[in-house]
Amino acid sequence: MKVLISVDMEGVSGIVHPSETGPERYDYERGRELMTAEANSAIAGVLDAAPDATVWVADAHGPFRNLLPEQLDRRARLVRGKPRPLGMLGGLDRETDAVLLVGYHARAGSGPAVLAHTMNDGLLDVRVDGRSMGEIGLNAAMAGHLGVPTVLLSGDDAACAELHDLVPSAVTVEVKQALAQGAAVALHPEEARGLLRHSAAQAVLRRSEIRPLTLTGPVEVEADLAAPFMVDLATLIPGVTRTHGGRTVSFTASDFAEAYRLLLLLAQLATIRPA
């Protein structure tokens, strides 16, 4: 069995502020240690349930170079760095049996939710067939496109509710309760790790009961961008058009994999600043 654990940072217990998640910020190294420890708990849980499993861990935050390789459980394989195929799901393929989302956050515009956003601050909202989706929904749907169920998510209460809305039978681990964009009531990190390890084992054992999130094509996508010049750049991509004024673009993809790749490109364009 192959299991992919995608690890973000904003949903890790104890983390509430960009100073803990951004490279070159004063508390980033502490955030990296907390993130790595939760990744290790998920790895341990998977291997408690399936000792012979192959576990891949995708570093899925910011530059994709946050997990501390020397501190990561040596039984796992680390997918690190960017750009790479499938972004936050680096390592996913049709041979994967289950996806776990660890340290995830809610979508842009939701709240109260700790450090909520979608991909980056340049994307204000993404709607797939009219439904607003953040990284949780987009990644679960990409896994589902390959027939892979998303069996677990850990994060704050808003992130857990977001996955439950899309995959009701998935296991969720609420490691903190959001009070605001930058405030939460959090479990002690060791308490969160114990809960995550137990839940990861249960999620893997229940994987056959959890249906993949499947969106059939063609897929209609709209994205609200933070600045008009981002729209100007986006419309240089064949098939992407300006809609609803100066901030929104739309496109039709033949299937969800094509939509996902285009959204990765839009997110990258949204990081460009005017010359």
Short mmCIF file of all heavy atoms in Angstrom, two decimals, residues 147-179:
data_model
loop_
_atom_site.label_atom_id
_atom_site.label_comp_id
_atom_site.label_asym_id
_atom_site.label_seq_id
_atom_site.Cartn_x
_atom_site.Cartn_y
_atom_site.Cartn_z
N GLY A 147 -8.86 8.56 -8.42
CA GLY A 147 -9.50 7.46 -7.71
C GLY A 147 -9.01 7.25 -6.30
O GLY A 147 -9.23 6.20 -5.69
N VAL A 148 -8.34 8.28 -5.73
CA VAL A 148 -7.74 8.16 -4.41
C VAL A 148 -8.58 8.91 -3.37
O VAL A 148 -8.85 10.10 -3.55
CB VAL A 148 -6.30 8.71 -4.40
CG1 VAL A 148 -5.65 8.49 -3.03
CG2 VAL A 148 -5.47 8.05 -5.50
N PRO A 149 -8.98 8.25 -2.28
CA PRO A 149 -9.77 8.95 -1.27
C PRO A 149 -8.89 9.81 -0.35
O PRO A 149 -7.76 9.43 -0.03
CB PRO A 149 -10.41 7.81 -0.48
CG PRO A 149 -9.42 6.70 -0.57
CD PRO A 149 -8.81 6.82 -1.97
N THR A 150 -9.43 10.96 0.05
CA THR A 150 -8.80 11.76 1.10
C THR A 150 -9.41 11.30 2.41
O THR A 150 -10.59 11.56 2.69
CB THR A 150 -9.06 13.26 0.86
OG1 THR A 150 -8.45 13.63 -0.40
CG2 THR A 150 -8.47 14.10 1.97
N VAL A 151 -8.63 10.62 3.23
CA VAL A 151 -9.19 9.91 4.37
C VAL A 151 -9.06 10.68 5.69
O VAL A 151 -9.74 10.35 6.66
CB VAL A 151 -8.55 8.51 4.52
CG1 VAL A 151 -8.81 7.68 3.26
CG2 VAL A 151 -7.05 8.61 4.81
N LEU A 152 -8.19 11.69 5.73
CA LEU A 152 -7.97 12.41 6.99
C LEU A 152 -7.55 13.84 6.73
O LEU A 152 -6.86 14.14 5.74
CB LEU A 152 -6.89 11.71 7.82
CG LEU A 152 -6.46 12.40 9.12
CD1 LEU A 152 -6.28 11.39 10.25
CD2 LEU A 152 -5.17 13.20 8.93
N LEU A 153 -7.95 14.72 7.63
CA LEU A 153 -7.47 16.10 7.66
C LEU A 153 -7.26 16.52 9.10
O LEU A 153 -8.10 16.23 9.96
CB LEU A 153 -8.45 17.05 6.99
CG LEU A 153 -8.05 18.53 7.05
CD1 LEU A 153 -8.31 19.23 5.72
CD2 LEU A 153 -8.77 19.28 8.17
N SER A 154 -6.16 17.22 9.38
CA SER A 154 -5.97 17.87 10.67
C SER A 154 -5.81 19.36 10.45
O SER A 154 -5.26 19.81 9.45
CB SER A 154 -4.74 17.31 11.40
OG SER A 154 -3.54 17.71 10.76
N GLY A 155 -6.35 20.14 11.40
CA GLY A 155 -6.30 21.59 11.32
C GLY A 155 -7.24 22.18 12.34
O GLY A 155 -7.61 21.52 13.33
N ASP A 156 -7.68 23.42 12.11
CA ASP A 156 -8.63 24.02 13.04
C ASP A 156 -10.04 23.55 12.73
O ASP A 156 -10.27 22.77 11.80
CB ASP A 156 -8.50 25.55 13.05
CG ASP A 156 -8.97 26.21 11.75
OD1 ASP A 156 -9.55 25.52 10.88
OD2 ASP A 156 -8.77 27.44 11.61
N ASP A 157 -11.00 24.01 13.53
CA ASP A 157 -12.37 23.54 13.38
C ASP A 157 -12.96 23.94 12.03
O ASP A 157 -13.74 23.17 11.44
CB ASP A 157 -13.26 24.06 14.52
CG ASP A 157 -13.18 25.57 14.70
OD1 ASP A 157 -12.10 26.16 14.46
OD2 ASP A 157 -14.19 26.18 15.09
N ALA A 158 -12.58 25.10 11.49
CA ALA A 158 -13.09 25.52 10.19
C ALA A 158 -12.57 24.61 9.07
O ALA A 158 -13.31 24.25 8.15
CB ALA A 158 -12.71 26.97 9.91
N ALA A 159 -11.31 24.24 9.14
CA ALA A 159 -10.74 23.34 8.13
C ALA A 159 -11.40 21.97 8.20
O ALA A 159 -11.72 21.37 7.16
CB ALA A 159 -9.24 23.22 8.32
N CYS A 160 -11.62 21.47 9.41
CA CYS A 160 -12.26 20.17 9.56
C CYS A 160 -13.68 20.18 8.98
O CYS A 160 -14.09 19.24 8.29
CB CYS A 160 -12.30 19.78 11.04
SG CYS A 160 -10.67 19.40 11.74
N ALA A 161 -14.40 21.26 9.24
CA ALA A 161 -15.76 21.37 8.72
C ALA A 161 -15.75 21.43 7.19
O ALA A 161 -16.66 20.90 6.53
CB ALA A 161 -16.44 22.61 9.30
N GLU A 162 -14.73 22.07 6.63
CA GLU A 162 -14.64 22.19 5.18
C GLU A 162 -14.49 20.83 4.51
O GLU A 162 -15.13 20.55 3.50
CB GLU A 162 -13.47 23.10 4.82
CG GLU A 162 -13.49 23.64 3.42
CD GLU A 162 -12.48 24.76 3.21
OE1 GLU A 162 -12.46 25.73 4.01
OE2 GLU A 162 -11.71 24.67 2.24
N LEU A 163 -13.65 19.96 5.08
CA LEU A 163 -13.52 18.63 4.49
C LEU A 163 -14.78 17.81 4.73
O LEU A 163 -15.24 17.09 3.82
CB LEU A 163 -12.31 17.89 5.04
CG LEU A 163 -12.11 16.50 4.42
CD1 LEU A 163 -11.84 16.60 2.92
CD2 LEU A 163 -11.02 15.72 5.12
N HIS A 164 -15.36 17.92 5.91
CA HIS A 164 -16.58 17.15 6.20
C HIS A 164 -17.70 17.49 5.23
O HIS A 164 -18.50 16.63 4.85
CB HIS A 164 -17.05 17.41 7.63
CG HIS A 164 -16.55 16.39 8.60
ND1 HIS A 164 -16.43 16.63 9.94
CD2 HIS A 164 -16.12 15.12 8.42
CE1 HIS A 164 -15.96 15.56 10.54
NE2 HIS A 164 -15.75 14.64 9.65
N ASP A 165 -17.75 18.75 4.81
CA ASP A 165 -18.78 19.16 3.86
C ASP A 165 -18.60 18.48 2.51
O ASP A 165 -19.57 18.24 1.78
CB ASP A 165 -18.73 20.69 3.71
CG ASP A 165 -19.89 21.22 2.88
OD1 ASP A 165 -21.03 20.78 3.10
OD2 ASP A 165 -19.65 22.08 2.01
N LEU A 166 -17.37 18.16 2.16
CA LEU A 166 -17.06 17.56 0.86
C LEU A 166 -16.95 16.04 0.94
O LEU A 166 -17.35 15.34 0.00
CB LEU A 166 -15.73 18.13 0.34
CG LEU A 166 -15.71 19.64 0.06
CD1 LEU A 166 -14.28 20.14 -0.07
CD2 LEU A 166 -16.49 19.96 -1.21
N VAL A 167 -16.37 15.55 2.02
CA VAL A 167 -16.16 14.10 2.21
C VAL A 167 -16.65 13.76 3.62
O VAL A 167 -15.87 13.69 4.57
CB VAL A 167 -14.67 13.72 2.05
CG1 VAL A 167 -14.50 12.20 2.07
CG2 VAL A 167 -14.08 14.30 0.76
N PRO A 168 -17.94 13.55 3.79
CA PRO A 168 -18.51 13.39 5.13
C PRO A 168 -17.93 12.25 5.95
O PRO A 168 -17.90 12.32 7.19
CB PRO A 168 -20.00 13.17 4.85
CG PRO A 168 -20.24 13.79 3.51
CD PRO A 168 -18.98 13.56 2.74
N SER A 169 -17.46 11.20 5.29
CA SER A 169 -16.96 10.03 6.03
C SER A 169 -15.49 10.11 6.39
O SER A 169 -14.95 9.22 7.06
CB SER A 169 -17.22 8.76 5.23
OG SER A 169 -16.66 8.87 3.93
N ALA A 170 -14.79 11.19 5.96
CA ALA A 170 -13.37 11.33 6.28
C ALA A 170 -13.16 11.55 7.77
O ALA A 170 -14.03 12.09 8.47
CB ALA A 170 -12.77 12.47 5.47
N VAL A 171 -12.00 11.19 8.26
CA VAL A 171 -11.61 11.41 9.65
C VAL A 171 -10.99 12.80 9.77
O VAL A 171 -10.16 13.19 8.94
CB VAL A 171 -10.60 10.35 10.11
CG1 VAL A 171 -10.12 10.63 11.53
CG2 VAL A 171 -11.20 8.95 10.00
N THR A 172 -11.40 13.56 10.76
CA THR A 172 -10.81 14.89 10.98
C THR A 172 -10.26 14.98 12.39
O THR A 172 -10.77 14.36 13.33
CB THR A 172 -11.83 16.02 10.75
OG1 THR A 172 -12.97 15.83 11.58
CG2 THR A 172 -12.26 16.07 9.30
N VAL A 173 -9.19 15.77 12.53
CA VAL A 173 -8.51 15.95 13.80
C VAL A 173 -8.45 17.45 14.09
O VAL A 173 -7.67 18.18 13.47
CB VAL A 173 -7.08 15.36 13.76
CG1 VAL A 173 -6.44 15.44 15.15
CG2 VAL A 173 -7.10 13.93 13.25
N GLU A 174 -9.28 17.91 15.00
CA GLU A 174 -9.34 19.33 15.34
C GLU A 174 -8.28 19.64 16.40
O GLU A 174 -8.45 19.32 17.57
CB GLU A 174 -10.73 19.68 15.84
CG GLU A 174 -10.94 21.16 16.11
CD GLU A 174 -12.34 21.46 16.61
OE1 GLU A 174 -13.31 20.94 16.01
OE2 GLU A 174 -12.44 22.21 17.61
N VAL A 175 -7.17 20.24 15.97
CA VAL A 175 -6.08 20.52 16.90
C VAL A 175 -6.17 21.91 17.50
O VAL A 175 -5.41 22.24 18.42
CB VAL A 175 -4.71 20.33 16.22
CG1 VAL A 175 -4.55 18.90 15.69
CG2 VAL A 175 -4.50 21.34 15.09
N LYS A 176 -7.09 22.73 16.98
CA LYS A 176 -7.31 24.06 17.55
C LYS A 176 -8.66 24.58 17.10
O LYS A 176 -9.19 24.17 16.06
CB LYS A 176 -6.19 25.03 17.16
CG LYS A 176 -5.95 25.19 15.66
CD LYS A 176 -4.66 25.94 15.40
CE LYS A 176 -4.31 25.94 13.92
NZ LYS A 176 -2.96 26.48 13.65
N GLN A 177 -9.21 25.48 17.91
CA GLN A 177 -10.48 26.13 17.60
C GLN A 177 -10.19 27.58 17.25
O GLN A 177 -9.62 28.32 18.05
CB GLN A 177 -11.43 26.06 18.79
CG GLN A 177 -12.78 26.71 18.51
CD GLN A 177 -13.70 26.64 19.71
OE1 GLN A 177 -13.33 26.13 20.76
NE2 GLN A 177 -14.90 27.18 19.56
N ALA A 178 -10.58 27.98 16.04
CA ALA A 178 -10.27 29.33 15.57
C ALA A 178 -11.10 30.37 16.33
O ALA A 178 -12.31 30.21 16.50
CB ALA A 178 -10.54 29.44 14.08
N LEU A 179 -10.44 31.44 16.72
CA LEU A 179 -11.11 32.60 17.29
C LEU A 179 -11.13 33.76 16.31
O LEU A 179 -12.02 34.60 16.35
CB LEU A 179 -10.40 33.03 18.58
CG LEU A 179 -10.36 32.02 19.72
CD1 LEU A 179 -9.56 32.58 20.90
CD2 LEU A 179 -11.76 31.63 20.15
#
